[in-house]
């Protein structure tokens, strides 16, 4: 017979037992997820690879790695959520999988995940072409990442197909969520922590900081080294160095 922690607490409260033995149990700590990230060269190779593949996998991979969308977000993305004139993308809808149940919802993981991001300029021609192709099919397709016959794409398909593509083209295997992680990693060297938070849709900036702060520390050191190099070649530093040598 097994007892839950709650049952033990009730037993102590009711005087049935004097000690909650669960207090002496050390539960394993949840391991912090450490994602992998592609280099810019690997990203280019992956995007080139999916160009050779059919839809909807190209749209899925492109949206994950270029716009940092979660798998649920890229599957739920609708054409009405893309404003080509303003060059923006609205993350509003999701498609998730719980066991064998696929759930489509007009909501995101958190309130902050409900966000607007700028379209990546280089992806606009592809997205426009994809929309035109869908329109020519004669079907009313409201989603970006969808089968040609209009059927919704299951989340596990994106995961499995992405893995097969990586194997097919000799690319290091990373998870679909790591494509989002890759997008953020490439961005973090050129953006503020707040910008990265807004891009990813993290509810709390501390989440962004916990994951990417070490990368920002690295880039901060690189920035300092650049400034040091500038000063070493400046008139100010030259005069100061000569005074020090003369002394």
């Amino acid at each position: 017979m097994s007892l839950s922690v709650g049952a033990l607490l009730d037993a102590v409260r009711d005087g049935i037992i004097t000690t909650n033995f669960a207090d002496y149990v050390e539960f394993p700590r949840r391991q912090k997820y450490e994602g992998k990230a592609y280099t810019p060269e690997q990203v280019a190779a992956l995007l080139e690879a999916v160009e050779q593949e059919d839809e909807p996998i190209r749209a899925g991979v492109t949206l994950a790695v270029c716009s940092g969308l979660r798998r649920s977000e890229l599957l739920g993305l609708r054409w009405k959520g893309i404003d080509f004139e303003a060059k923006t993308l609205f993350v509003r809808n999701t498609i998730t999988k719980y066991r064998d149940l696929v759930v489509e919802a007009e909501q995101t993981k958190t309130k902050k995940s409900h966000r607007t991001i700028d379209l990546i300029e280089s992806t606009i021609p592809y997205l426009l072409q994809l929309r035109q192709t869908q329109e020519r099919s004669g079907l009313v397709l409201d989603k970006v990442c969808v089968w040609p016959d209009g059927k919704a794409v299951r989340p596990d398909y994106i995961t499995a197909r992405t893995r097969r593509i990586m194997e097919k083209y000799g690319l290091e295997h990373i998870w679909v969520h790591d494509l989002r992680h890759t997008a953020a990693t490439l961005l973090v060297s050129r953006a503020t922590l707040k910008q990265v938070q807004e891009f990813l849709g993290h509810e709390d900036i501390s989440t962004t900081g916990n994951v990417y702060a070490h990368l920002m520390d690295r880039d901060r050191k690189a920035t300092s080294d650049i400034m040091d190099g500038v000063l070493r070649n400046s008139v100010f530093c030259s005069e100061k160095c000569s005074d020090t040598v003369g002394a």
Side-chain angles (χ1 to χ4, degrees):
M1 180 179 69
S2 62
L3 291 174
S4 68
V5 174
L8 289 171
L9 289 172
D10 290 341
V12 172
R13 182 193 61 199
D14 296 338
I16 300 173
I17 60 176
T18 59
T19 303
N20 182 0
F21 296 102
D23 291 340
Y24 300 95
V25 178
E26 185 174 342
F27 294 97
R29 293 182 179 180
R30 183 179 179 182
Q31 292 186 344
K32 182 180 178 181
Y33 171 75
E34 294 184 6
K36 294 182 180 179
Y38 270 176
T39 65
E41 293 74 21
Q42 288 173 312
V43 168
L46 177 62
L47 292 177
E48 184 176 346
V50 295
E51 282 184 14
Q52 313 306 315
E53 302 296 320
D54 53 10
E55 296 295 354
I57 193 61
R58 184 183 177 188
V61 171
T62 300
L63 290 167
V65 76
C66 294
S67 297
L69 300 191
R70 298 178 177 91
R71 185 180 66 175
S72 60
E73 294 170 345
L74 64 89
L75 290 177
L77 181 65
R78 299 177 180 179
W79 285 114
K80 67 180 181 181
I82 297 181
D83 187 332
F84 285 106
E85 185 174 344
K87 298 183 179 180
T88 53
L89 183 155
F90 307 97
V91 181
R92 299 291 186 271
N93 308 89
T94 57
I95 293 181
T96 55
K97 181 176 181 290
Y98 178 71
R99 295 182 180 176
D100 293 329
L101 181 65
V102 176
V103 180
E104 182 173 353
E106 293 189 2
Q107 63 182 36
T108 51
K109 183 178 180 182
T110 65
K111 183 178 180 181
K112 195 68 176 180
S113 298
H114 198 79
R115 65 197 186 279
T116 300
I117 60 177
D118 287 341
L119 283 173
I120 306 302
E121 191 74 33
S122 56
T123 66
I124 293 177
Y126 159 66
L127 290 172
L128 282 170
Q129 181 182 38
L130 177 60
R131 187 178 66 173
Q132 292 172 359
T133 299
Q134 291 187 3
E135 289 173 345
R136 285 197 296 268
S137 72
L139 298 173
V140 179
L141 306 179
D142 66 331
K143 293 186 181 65
V144 177
C145 189
V146 67
W147 288 107
D149 62 1
K151 291 183 179 179
V153 179
R154 291 179 62 88
D156 46 3
Y157 166 80
I158 295 293
T159 299
R161 184 65 187 279
T162 300
R163 178 164 191 156
R164 289 199 296 270
I165 288 175
M166 290 172 178
E167 292 175 350
K168 178 180 178 180
Y169 293 92
L171 295 167
E172 178 186 1
H173 174 255
I174 62 175
W175 297 104
V176 172
H177 192 76
D178 288 333
L179 298 179
R180 167 177 160 86
H181 181 63
T182 293
T185 300
L186 297 177
L187 180 65
V188 78
S189 64
R190 296 170 179 262
T192 66
L193 192 62
K194 183 65 177 177
Q195 287 174 316
V196 177
Q197 179 204 6
E198 296 292 337
F199 180 78
L200 295 176
H202 284 159
E203 185 73 12
D204 195 324
I205 197 169
S206 64
T207 302
T208 316
N210 289 337
V211 178
Y212 299 104
H214 68 289
L215 297 176
M216 292 190 164
D217 289 342
R218 179 197 64 192
D219 293 318
R220 204 163 52 237
K221 176 61 168 62
T223 302
S224 178
D225 290 342
I226 292 171
M227 181 59 73
D228 187 54
V230 171
L231 292 177
R232 285 181 183 277
N233 295 322
S234 69
V235 174
F236 164 75
C237 188
S238 299
E239 292 176 349
K240 189 170 183 178
C241 290
S242 63
D243 290 341
T244 303
V245 173

